[in-house]
Amino acid sequence: MPGTDPRPYLTGAKYPCGRDELLRAAAAAGAGDDVLGPLGTLPARDYADGDGVWEAIRSYNGAPIHDTAKEAP
């Protein structure tokens, strides 16, 4: 499932938190469907931080997503 890195939209989340809090924080920060869609499909469990959320999105269904944000320019 491709998606945009949600971490910039999750600065208002109070970690650890679950999927509902992640969705609330991202929506309040103005996230679009490219962020909210993948967040909505995450398992309903607590996430320790934004990096954990991004990792969960990237490895959804065991198919890692290429992380261009970590590539050198």
Side-chain angles (χ1 to χ4, degrees):
M1 160 190 15
T4 300
D5 184 348
R7 291 174 289 190
Y9 298 99
L10 299 177
T11 58
K14 307 292 187 242
Y15 293 102
C17 65
R19 181 180 58 209
D20 291 344
E21 169 65 12
L22 296 171
L23 286 165
R24 185 209 58 75
D33 289 343
D34 58 332
V35 171
L36 297 175
L39 286 176
T41 64
L42 289 174
R45 63 175 180 89
D46 281 347
Y47 296 88
D49 56 27
D51 289 339
V53 173
W54 181 225
E55 186 60 33
I57 289 173
R58 290 178 56 229
S59 61
Y60 182 74
N61 279 340
I65 296 171
H66 183 66
D67 186 358
T68 58
K70 293 185 179 177
E71 290 181 0

